[in-house]
Amino acid sequence: MTYRLTIRRPDDWHVHLRDGDMLHAVAPYTARQFARAIIMPNLAPPVTSVAAATAYRERIRAALPAGSDFTPLMTCYLTDTADAAEIARGHAEGVWAACKLYPANATTNSAHGVSDIRALGRVLEMLQRIGMPLLIHGEVTDPEIDFFDREAVFIERTLGGLVRDFPALKIVLEHITTAEAVDFVNGAGANVAATITPQHLHLNRNALFAGGLQPHAFCLPVVKRERHRLAVRTAAVSGSPRFFLGTDTAPHVRGRKEMACGCAGIFNAPFALESYLAVFDAEDALDRFEGFASEHGARFYGLPLNEGTVTLERRDVLVPALCGVGDTAVVPFHAGQTLAWQMVG
Ligand code: DOR
Ligand code: ZN
C-alpha cells in the first residue's frame, strides 16, 4: 500500500476564476495546488481583447496570496467577429496561451460565443499556422437534440469536419464526458487532446437525482450514464499523453445553485488533487497520476514542465459543507464527504 505520493507540481488546464470578490475568494485554492492554470474568459463582458486579458491577468495576480508564484495562462474568448490579427498579436506578446470556442449559448456567459464555426476560417488558419491551441466547449445547442447527446452530436456534426479541414490545428476538447469523445481523441492525431474533470470521473447522471434534485451535481457538459463515466475514467488513467487534468472548477454562490434555473458549475478547486487521486487509487494507477496531472498538458501546450513537487498523504480529510463566508460562500465538490488523500506540501 502506498501512503505517500510526491509528484512534480501539477497544472490545471481549465479553470474559472471569475472576477471581483469571487476571484479573491477562489484564486487561493487553485494557486495552492497548481503552478499554472488556463483561465477561462467567460466573464461578463467576455475577455476578447489583449487589453482586457492583460487587465484580468493583473486582477488575478492581485488576488493571489502573498508570495504565490502561481501563473495564470490567459485565453481569448472567440466571437463571430474575432480578429485573427488581434489574437496573433496577443499570442506573440505572451498574453494569450490559447483561444476558447464556446458555441453561442452553450453555457454560462456564452451568449457572445460562436454561432457558426465555419465563419471563423481565417482565425482557425492563423491558429494552425502559429501553433496556438483551440480549446473547445464541445456541445451543440440545437434544441431538437437530447441534452445528454449534445457532446456526441457536436463531435459528429462539427469536430470531425474541423479536424479534417485543419489537420494540424492543436485542439483540446474540454471536459469530456462521453465514450464518443474518448474514441474521437484516441482516433485522432497527436494534435488533438482532451481535459478531464474530477466530477466526470466520479459522477454519473444518477447523481443529479439521488434523493431529490441535486443542483451541486449540475455542470456543463452534464454528467452522463455510467458507461460513459467508465470510458472517461479509463482514458484518464490510461497513461495516454492526450488526456490531462482540467478541473473546470466553476464557482457559483450557493443561492445561485439552489434556485429555480440554477447555474451550471461545480466548485472543485479546494480538493481537486485529492478528488482525482481517489480515482487513480481506485483504478490502481497511482503511477500514472503524475503524467496526467503534471506532464501531459504542459507537453501538449509546448510549455516547460514545472520545477518543484507536491506531496499527498493517505489520510482522511473531511470536505466542508461550504467554503468561504458571506457573499462568496460556495458549496464545494464532495461537500460533507471524507476523501482518503490529502495534500500536505
Ligand atoms: O458547468 C459549467 N460551468 N460549464 C461551463 O462550461 C461553464 C461553467 C461556468 O462558467 O459556470
Ligand atoms: Zn469551463
Side-chain angles (χ1 to χ4, degrees):
M1 176 92 97
T2 307
Y3 290 93
R4 214 177 146 84
L5 188 70
T6 296
I7 59 166
R8 185 185 290 281
R9 269 180 94 193
D11 301 304
D12 186 343
W13 300 98
H14 188 129
V15 169
H16 298 269
L17 283 186
R18 313 300 193 207
D19 212 344
D21 291 346
M22 185 60 95
L23 166 61
H24 283 261
V26 301
Y29 292 109
T30 294
R32 187 175 84 85
Q33 295 209 321
F34 298 101
R36 299 172 288 200
I38 283 281
I39 311 299
M40 287 297 126
N42 63 332
L43 304 182
V47 180
T48 56
S49 69
V50 180
T54 307
Y56 184 33
R57 187 169 62 180
E58 279 317 302
R59 296 199 296 282
I60 293 169
R61 287 184 179 142
L64 297 175
S68 172
D69 65 351
F70 174 77
T71 302
L73 302 169
M74 310 309 290
T75 57
C76 171
Y77 181 116
L78 293 179
T79 66
D80 286 341
T81 57
D83 177 7
E86 169 85 353
I87 295 167
R89 178 173 75 84
H91 185 254
E93 291 176 3
V95 177
W96 276 326
C99 282
K100 178 68 192 251
L101 176 91
Y102 289 104
N105 301 315
T107 186
T108 308
N109 289 340
S110 63
H112 301 279
V114 173
S115 45
D116 180 6
I117 190 168
R118 280 163 298 196
L120 284 184
R122 288 198 50 219
V123 170
L124 299 174
E125 266 165 35
M126 179 277 297
L127 296 179
Q128 178 171 250
R129 194 175 61 249
I130 69 174
M132 182 175 178
L134 176 69
L135 317 182
I136 300 182
H137 183 113
E139 292 195 284
V140 295
T141 57
D142 181 346
E144 299 287 308
I145 299 298
D146 186 285
F147 213 89
F148 290 91
D149 294 335
R150 284 179 154 206
E151 182 176 282
V153 173
F154 181 88
I155 290 167
E156 188 187 301
R157 283 190 187 169
T158 306
L159 196 56
L162 187 67
V163 170
R164 255 194 317 280
D165 292 347
F166 300 94
L169 179 62
K170 275 191 183 183
I171 293 174
V172 184
L173 189 54
E174 299 282 52
H175 40 53
I176 57 167
T177 64
T178 57
E180 285 85 346
V182 171
D183 290 346
F184 185 87
V185 172
N186 278 327
N191 56 311
V192 178
T195 53
I196 297 177
T197 77
Q199 55 267 24
H200 294 111
L201 295 170
H202 281 279
L203 308 181
N204 65 31
R205 65 190 195 178
N206 286 353
L208 293 167
F209 310 111
L213 197 57
Q214 298 293 339
H216 299 291
F218 178 49
C219 64
L220 292 172
V222 71
V223 292
K224 305 296 192 301
R225 11 170 115 246
E226 179 65 357
R227 79 175 176 88
H228 294 294
R229 183 184 77 96
L230 294 178
V232 174
R233 261 173 101 100
T234 300
V237 304
S238 68
S240 164
R242 319 268 294 287
F243 298 101
F244 43 85
L245 187 158
T247 62
D248 197 16
T249 180
H252 295 277
V253 293
R254 184 177 184 163
R256 303 272 299 158
K257 294 284 294 173
E258 299 176 5
M259 66 184 289
C261 213
C263 295
I266 292 180
F267 179 51
N268 55 34
F271 296 92
L273 290 176
E274 290 85 346
S275 179
Y276 281 114
L277 205 49
V279 173
F280 279 72
D281 195 8
E283 298 290 337
D284 205 11
L286 289 179
D287 58 324
R288 309 252 168 93
F289 187 56
E290 184 171 43
F292 178 78
S294 315
E295 295 173 353
H296 302 165
R299 292 206 178 104
F300 185 86
Y301 275 79
L303 294 169
L305 301 185
N306 296 314
E307 300 296 326
T309 58
V310 297
T311 298
L312 292 115
E313 267 182 21
R314 192 184 289 278
R315 62 157 89 148
D316 283 358
V317 55
L318 175 64
V319 178
L322 211 54
C323 287
V325 288
D327 289 350
T328 56
V330 182
V331 176
F333 186 39
H334 299 297
Q337 296 172 14
T338 299
L339 295 173
W341 288 84
Q342 187 171 19
M343 183 178 154
V344 292

